[in-house]
Amino acid sequence: MTMPPYSLLASNNPHQERVLVIYTGGTIGMQPHANGLAPGGDFAKRMTIALSQLPIAQQHALPPYEVISYTTLIDSSAATPLTWQQLARDISDQLTAYTGFVIIHGTDTLSWTAASLAYQLQGLDRPVVVTGSMLPLEAPDSDAVGNLHGALQFASKPALQEVAIYFAGQLLRGTRAIKQHSEAVIAFASPNYPLLGERVGDDFVYYPSRGLGLQQRGAPRFELPDYRLVNQGEVVRIVLWPGISAWQLDAWLSDSRVKGALLQLWGAGNTPDDPSLLNVLAKASGEGKLLAAISQCPQGSVQLGAYAAGHGLSDAGILAGDDMTPEAAFTKLAHLLAQPLSLEDQRQRFLTPLVGER
């Protein structure tokens, strides 16, 4: 029997319905080391001490929770599809034991993990809230305590039935969020979808009309494919630049190991006026590779063929990613390619909203 990759179980009340906190690493738990900040241990105790700094009334309003810490802690820049898979499977295994989940994660790839979890945990009937911080837990004026506080509050709201991100007083849909700032505490944004909730004074307000809870019925229909199939670069991300040439595009797409690609085009879906580029895309698509396109602009959506500069993309087999974030589009491609689906099923499912991502 394989032991779970976590340890350091702690609880603030083991006898009530409770939230499970999963600590994976990231800035929030980092401590000074010889070569700079690195993930630190003993997070359960440190989290308890940090939350004890809250006003008494806020402490009493916290839901009961338990903390598990992954044995191998990482900076989120080291996360891979296998990290996403491990988290989803751990949540699936523990689903009925907890009323909600909080995932403590580094900010660099936090939105990628949240998007992937949403596809794996389709039909989720309770909250999964991903959070982290821009400053370590013990740093002066750290945002960590506020983010932990809010994540726990939203993870205890049964009406929230999807994967969300709580950061800097805002609750964002996991498949709609991007990291927009490398330094500011308001690090995340939801450019094409309104907030799912927010902190208003001392209250944590959820807006159910914006959530998936009203749209979902029945038992969870989790999809937990083997992400080892997409963990070695099988899905590529290509952001166009002025002067891109067909041979450069072909160098990526002609590689037999590549199964799919996310293209980030200009504006509403424009490409250079170069037929050879379209030929490369059409060839790759004809070989059964799953190709999708979104805009490089954070806001708005692609409209393939709306301009002459984007004409021919649909004919070349490129799927329009609508207003999806790069994180949501890329992780969706990976999720679909990890499953034994026909190319037509993969294409149709990419174009279909699965978890409010488009």
Side-chain angles (χ1 to χ4, degrees), residues 111-112 115-116 119 174 177-179 262 294 325-332:
S111 51
W112 296 78
S116 176
Y119 298 126
I178 61 172
K179 186 178 181 183
L262 175 64
I294 60 172
T325 64
E327 296 92 325
F330 184 94
T331 55
K332 189 173 188 179

Side-chain angles (χ1 to χ4, degrees), residues 102-330:
V102 170
I103 297 172
I104 310 298
H105 197 285
T107 60
D108 284 344
T109 63
L110 187 151
S111 51
W112 296 78
T113 294
S116 176
L117 288 176
Y119 298 126
Q120 295 181 80
L121 304 177
Q122 290 178 52
L124 187 67
D125 62 356
R126 61 202 66 201
V128 172
V129 182
V130 191
T131 195
S133 67
M134 299 302 287
L135 294 171
L137 195 59
E138 291 87 1
D141 301 317
S142 174
D143 56 330
V145 177
N147 288 345
L148 289 173
H149 180 203
L152 285 168
Q153 289 289 345
F154 279 112
S156 65
K157 293 185 181 296
L160 177 61
Q161 297 181 3
E162 61 182 287
V163 179
I165 292 171
Y166 181 80
F167 216 90
Q170 300 180 328
L171 187 73
L172 306 84
R173 171 163 293 161
T175 54
R176 291 288 191 160
I178 61 172
K179 186 178 181 183
Q180 67 168 357
H181 206 294
S182 64
E183 297 173 335
V185 293
I186 304 177
F188 289 87
S190 179
N192 288 315
Y193 197 78
L195 299 177
L196 295 180
E198 58 189 321
R199 180 171 183 169
V200 181
D202 286 338
D203 297 323
F204 293 86
V205 182
Y206 172 60
Y207 305 121
S209 63
R210 302 174 183 177
L212 290 176
L214 296 176
Q215 305 168 29
Q216 303 185 140
R217 295 290 184 272
R221 49 188 185 279
F222 292 178
E223 295 178 357
L224 303 172
D226 187 354
Y227 274 16
R228 288 178 297 180
L229 300 174
V230 290
N231 194 55
Q232 297 295 325
E234 290 83 355
V235 185
V236 297
R237 177 186 179 188
I238 305 171
V239 183
L240 265 60
W241 66 88
I244 186 172
S245 298
W247 71 265
Q248 294 169 314
L249 197 59
D250 187 59
W252 273 300
L253 298 183
S254 65
D255 192 305
S256 62
R257 294 168 292 184
V258 172
K259 300 176 182 177
L262 175 64
L263 307 172
Q264 288 186 245
L265 312 179
W266 292 303
N270 298 327
T271 58
D273 183 15
D274 181 355
S276 63
L277 285 172
L278 285 179
N279 291 339
V280 170
L281 295 173
K283 176 176 175 287
S285 181
E287 292 172 348
K289 298 184 178 185
L290 193 62
L291 308 182
I294 60 172
S295 176
Q296 293 184 25
C297 302
Q299 290 184 277
S301 62
V302 294
Q303 308 286 336
L304 299 186
Y307 291 83
H311 183 71
L313 287 168
S314 294
D315 291 342
I318 308 304
L319 302 172
D322 196 21
D323 61 351
M324 296 171 72
T325 64
E327 296 92 325
F330 184 94

Side-chain angles (χ1 to χ4, degrees), residues 70 74 78-90 116 120 225-232:
Y70 277 9
I74 62 169
T80 70
L82 296 185
T83 309
W84 309 336
Q85 174 177 292
Q86 184 68 62
L87 280 164
R89 293 187 176 183
D90 287 341
S116 176
Q120 295 181 80
D226 187 354
Y227 274 16
R228 288 178 297 180
L229 300 174
V230 290
N231 194 55
Q232 297 295 325

